[in-house]
C-alpha cells in the first residue's frame, strides 16, 4: 500500500486523477455553502467576544427555528462603554426580539440569552439588582433599564428605546405608541428622574395631544426639540 501511494505521488498525472476521484466521491450537502456564508456574515455583523460560544448559540437557534443572536448591522461601541464587550443597542435589540414575545421571562432564560451574546455577567447582575427583579422578570421593565444602562439621562434612554422598538426604517422618525412611551417614561422616572407626579401627568397630557396628531405615535423629536418641556437629567 505504501509503495503504491509513493508511485502515485511521484506521478503528477496519476496524483491529479486520484485527488479528483477522491473529491468527486465526497458528498457535500447543497445547503452547506449558503449556511456557512450566512453564518460568516452574521459573525462579522455581530462581532461576538467569544466566537465559539456565540457560534453554538447561533446554530442551536438556527436548528430550532428561534430568533438568531445576530445584529441587524455592524455597530461601534457606545461612548459610555469602558470596553467593547458590554451591552450595545444592537445586542439589546437581539434580546428584545428573543424575549419580548413572552412578556414575562424567567431569570434563568435571560441569563442564558445574555451568556450566548457573550455579555459580562456583572452588567446583567447590576441591572437585575437595580430593578429588584426576582425569578420572573417583566421584559419591558428590564428593557427600560437596559436602555438606561446605555445612556446617561432619561431623554437619551427614551430615544434609544424608540430607535430599538420602532417599526420605522433606519434613519426614520423612530415612532412608538404613546402608551409604550408613557410606560417607559414613568418607569424610568422612578430610578433616574426627579419629576413629581403632577409634572409627569402634565407633561404626558401635553405630549398626548401631539401623539393624537401622529396617529397615536410618539417620536424622539417630540421630546428632544429645543422648545420641548425639559425631561429630568
Amino acid at each position: 500500500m505504501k509503495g503504491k501511494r509513493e508511485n502515485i505521488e511521484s506521478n503528477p498525472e496519476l496524483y491529479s486523477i486520484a485527488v479528483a476521484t477522491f473529491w468527486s466521491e465526497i458528498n457535500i450537502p447543497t445547503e452547506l455553502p449558503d449556511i456557512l456564508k450566512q453564518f460568516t456574515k452574521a459573525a462579522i455583523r455581530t462581532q461576538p467576544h467569544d466566537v465559539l460560544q456565540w457560534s453554538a448559540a447561533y446554530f442551536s437557534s438556527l436548528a430550532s427555528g428561534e430568533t438568531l443572536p445576530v445584529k441587524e448591522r455592524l455597530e461601534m461601541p457606545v461612548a459610555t462603554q469602558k470596553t467593547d464587550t458590554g451591552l450595545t443597542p444592537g445586542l439589546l435589540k437581539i434580546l428584545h426580539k428573543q424575549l419580548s414575545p413572552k412578556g414575562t421571562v424567567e431569570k434563568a432564560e435571560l441569563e442564558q440569552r445574555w451568556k450566548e451574546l457573550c455579555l459580562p455577567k456583572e452588567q446583567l447582575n447590576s441591572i437585575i439588582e437595580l430593578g429588584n427583579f426576582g425569578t420572573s422578570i417583566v421584559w419591558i421593565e428590564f428593557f427600560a433599564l437596559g436602555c438606561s444602562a446605555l445612556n446617561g439621562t432619561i431623554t437619551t434612554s427614551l430615544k434609544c428605546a424608540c430607535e430599538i422598538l420602532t417599526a420605522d426604517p433606519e434613519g426614520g422618525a423612530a415612532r412608538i405608541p404613546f402608551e409604550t412611551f408613557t410606560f417607559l417614561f414613568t418607569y424610568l422616572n422612578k430610578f433616574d428622574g426627579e419629576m413629581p407626579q403632577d409634572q409627569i401627568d402634565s407633561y404626558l397630557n401635553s405630549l398626548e395631544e401631539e401623539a393624537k396628531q401622529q396617529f397615536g405615535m410618539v417620536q424622539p423629536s417630540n421630546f428632544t426639540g429645543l422648545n420641548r418641556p425639559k425631561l429630568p437629567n
Side-chain angles (χ1 to χ4, degrees):
M1 180 64 70
K2 181 178 179 181
K4 184 177 180 180
R5 177 180 175 181
E6 290 176 347
N7 289 335
I8 292 176
E9 291 181 347
S10 63
N11 188 317
E13 184 176 352
L14 289 177
Y15 183 72
S16 297
I17 294 174
V19 170
T21 301
F22 172 79
W23 284 111
S24 67
E25 295 176 353
I26 296 295
N27 180 32
I28 300 177
T30 56
E31 65 272 21
L32 181 60
D34 186 61
I35 290 175
L36 294 179
K37 178 181 178 181
Q38 296 305 319
F39 165 74
T40 302
K41 290 167 64 176
I44 293 173
R45 282 204 308 274
T46 307
Q47 296 286 302
H49 179 61
D50 185 330
V51 176
L52 291 179
Q53 180 171 284
W54 175 84
S55 298
Y58 176 91
F59 285 110
S60 176
S61 297
L62 183 64
S64 59
E66 298 178 347
T67 301
L68 297 175
V70 179
K71 292 180 182 179
E72 294 182 354
R73 61 191 62 81
L74 184 65
E75 64 177 349
M76 297 299 292
V78 295
T80 54
Q81 287 180 283
K82 294 181 180 180
T83 70
D84 61 356
T85 60
L87 188 65
T88 68
L91 294 175
L92 184 57
K93 189 167 187 175
I94 292 174
L95 290 169
H96 181 71
K97 287 182 177 180
Q98 293 175 327
L99 300 174
S100 63
K102 300 184 178 184
T104 299
V105 299
E106 295 301 309
K107 180 181 177 182
E109 181 177 4
L110 174 57
E111 289 175 334
Q112 179 61 30
R113 296 296 188 182
W114 192 271
K115 180 180 179 181
E116 290 173 352
L117 292 176
C118 314
L119 291 168
K121 184 70 177 294
E122 298 77 15
Q123 191 175 30
L124 174 61
N125 290 339
S126 176
I127 297 175
I128 289 177
E129 181 179 354
L130 177 62
N132 195 28
F133 297 121
T135 56
S136 294
I137 299 173
V138 177
W139 170 252
I140 192 64
E141 294 180 355
F142 182 91
F143 171 81
L145 293 183
C147 291
S148 179
L150 291 170
N151 300 273
T153 69
I154 288 184
T155 300
T156 53
S157 297
L158 289 169
K159 182 175 183 293
C160 175
C162 288
E163 292 170 347
I164 293 176
L165 296 176
T166 187
D168 292 334
E170 183 182 9
R175 297 166 296 178
I176 64 173
F178 174 75
E179 293 77 10
T180 302
F181 177 89
T182 297
F183 175 83
L184 293 171
F185 171 57
T186 304
Y187 183 74
L188 287 175
N189 190 68
K190 297 177 182 178
F191 300 90
D192 302 323
E194 300 176 352
M195 185 181 287
Q197 189 61 47
D198 60 334
Q199 290 186 30
I200 290 176
D201 294 339
S202 175
Y203 177 82
L204 291 175
N205 287 335
S206 173
L207 193 61
E208 186 176 18
E209 292 304 313
E210 289 192 59
K212 288 178 179 179
Q213 300 176 31
Q214 300 169 170
F215 305 99
M217 307 294 278
V218 174
Q219 59 197 48
S221 63
N222 295 139
F223 56 88
T224 59
L226 293 176
N227 297 320
R228 302 305 309 156
K230 186 177 180 181
L231 290 175
N233 291 323

